[in-house]
Amino acid sequence: MTGSMREPTFLILTALARAPMHGYGLLAEVAELSGGRVELRPGTLYGALDRLTDDGYVAPDRQEIVDGRARRYFRLTDAGAAALHAETVRLRANVEAAARRLAARDTGFAGGPGFAGGTA
């Protein structure tokens, strides 16, 4: 994967970093990881899983039958873990750069953080 990862992709890979999961579990885990900001629909999730499988970042793990329905589990591959690690490093560097700039800005004028006279 080149460039930055879309947030849903990042969250799906993050959810799978701990253990293999099935689709419904992934939907819930992505919502939890994002604090409810990202709520994937099943069609969106399975489309992303197909793409991530094609990219080699996710692989089918197993399938089990629950209440007469097939439940497919997916796992993070080594390539997926490497891509997630690279994106985590990239995001961390961006956050650190932004924090340094904000800290410099906050100390660069008399009001400091939250100064009512500052501009948004």
Side-chain angles (χ1 to χ4, degrees), residues 80-105:
L84 179 60
H85 175 76
E87 182 67 359
T88 301
V89 168
R90 186 190 73 79
L91 290 171
R92 183 176 293 127
N94 287 346
V95 167
E96 290 170 357
R100 283 191 305 273
R101 295 287 176 103
L102 286 169
R105 181 182 191 278

Side-chain angles (χ1 to χ4, degrees), residues 18-102:
R18 185 169 44 190
M21 299 186 79
H22 57 80
Y24 180 77
L26 279 167
L27 292 173
E29 188 74 9
V30 164
E32 182 180 322
L33 286 167
S34 69
R37 288 179 301 102
V38 177
E39 292 189 15
L40 299 176
R41 293 182 178 193
T44 303
L45 173 66
Y46 284 103
L49 288 170
D50 287 344
R51 181 179 48 77
L52 291 168
T53 298
D54 290 345
D55 291 345
Y57 296 152
V58 169
D61 187 66
R62 67 186 183 277
Q63 183 170 306
E64 59 188 30
I65 305 299
V66 177
D67 295 328
R69 298 186 63 166
R71 183 178 280 178
R72 295 187 309 165
Y73 283 75
F74 297 87
R75 64 176 172 78
L76 187 66
T77 64
D78 289 344
L84 179 60
H85 175 76
E87 182 67 359
T88 301
V89 168
R90 186 190 73 79
L91 290 171
R92 183 176 293 127
N94 287 346
V95 167
E96 290 170 357
R100 283 191 305 273
R101 295 287 176 103
L102 286 169

